[in-house]
Amino acid sequence: MSTQPPTGPPSGPPTGPLYGEPAPGPPPHRRPWWRTPPAFIGAAAAVVALAVGLIFAFRGGSGPTNVPAKVPTPNSSAEARDVAARVTLTPGDWGPDFAQDSPYEDDALTEDVADQNCNFVAQPMVDALAGLRRSVKKSDSTAFAFSYLFAYKRADFAHHDADHFRADLQRCQTQYQDKAKFEDVHEVKIPELTGFDEVVAEEGRLTVDDQGNKANTYYSYIIGRKGNFLMGSDVTRSETGQNRDDAVKALKLMLTRLESTK
C-alpha cells in the first residue's frame, strides 16, 4: 500500500488497556488467515502459523448490509488503509507490558484456505480495498496478540469471506499449516459482543509447532463484521485463562474506533 499509517495516536475515543496477568510459559503466536509470517522466538515459544479456517458464526444480524450506520465509507484503497491504521490496535491498547512483535505491521492482501485435507494454502484476496494487521507480545513472551481490520468494496464480499471460513471450520476440527497442527478447533458464541452484523469466534489448541515439536498452547480468535469491514482479534497463551475476555475487549475497542472514524 502506498499510504503510510499515521505517526501519531489514532483518532477517536481514548484507548483503554486490555491486559491481564498471563499464564506462565511462552506460548506460540497464532497466525491470521491472510498471511504467512516467519517463526518467532525459538522452539520454546515457536510462533505458529495458521491460516485460520475461521469459523462458525454467532450472528447479530440477518445478513450483509451495504450501508451500515455510523461507519466510514472509504472510496479508495488509500482511504481504506487510513481507516485500518486508525482502528487496528497498538501495543499500548493491550497493556503497559506489551510491545511490538516482529513483523509488527502487515498489509498483504492474501488469505489461506483449507483444502480437502484441512491443509491451508495461500491465495490472493479478492474484493478487499485494504487491510492492516498489527502483532504484539508481552515483554516476557508469555502472551501474544494481534488485531486487524479489512475494508471490502461491499458488505456482501465481507460476508462471503466469513461464510467461507465458517465452512472450513465446520469441516476441519483438526487443522494443519506446514508442520503445525491445531486440534480441538471449535466454535464459541459471544452473546455479549453486540453492535456487529455478525460475529465469528473460534478457539483451539496448538499441539505441534511449526518446527514439528510437540506443543500445548491455547488461543481465542474473534472476528466481527460491520458492514463492509471485518475486524479481528486473537490472544494466545500457554493456558486458556483470560484469552477470550481480552479478545472480546479488543474487538469492542476497535468497533468503537470504527464508529468514531470520519
Side-chain angles (χ1 to χ4, degrees), residues 58 68 93 196 204 211 219:
F58 171 81
D93 297 324
F196 290 92
Q211 302 298 312
Y219 69 90

Side-chain angles (χ1 to χ4, degrees), residues 182-245:
F182 290 83
E183 297 186 74
D184 305 326
V185 178
H186 60 280
E187 169 259 347
V188 292
K189 294 186 177 181
I190 315 291
E192 70 271 25
L193 194 52
T194 60
F196 290 92
D197 296 316
E198 56 186 314
V199 172
V200 171
E202 175 188 317
E203 292 182 343
R205 182 168 61 96
L206 173 75
T207 58
V208 179
D209 67 22
D210 60 349
Q211 302 298 312
N213 301 313
K214 290 184 178 181
N216 190 34
T217 304
Y218 298 86
Y219 69 90
S220 294
Y221 192 153
I222 308 174
I223 282 179
R225 182 181 67 83
K226 184 71 172 180
N228 60 321
F229 294 94
L230 279 182
M231 291 165 279
S233 62
D234 176 282
V235 183
T236 301
R237 290 183 176 92
S238 59
E239 295 181 2
T240 54
Q242 63 192 53
N243 290 345
R244 188 185 304 180
D245 288 345

Side-chain angles (χ1 to χ4, degrees), residues 80 83-84 87-88 130-133 147-151 229-232 258:
V83 172
V87 173
T88 308
L132 180 65
R133 172 205 191 256
S147 61
Y148 66 80
L149 179 141
F150 275 95
F229 294 94
L230 279 182
M231 291 165 279
L258 179 68

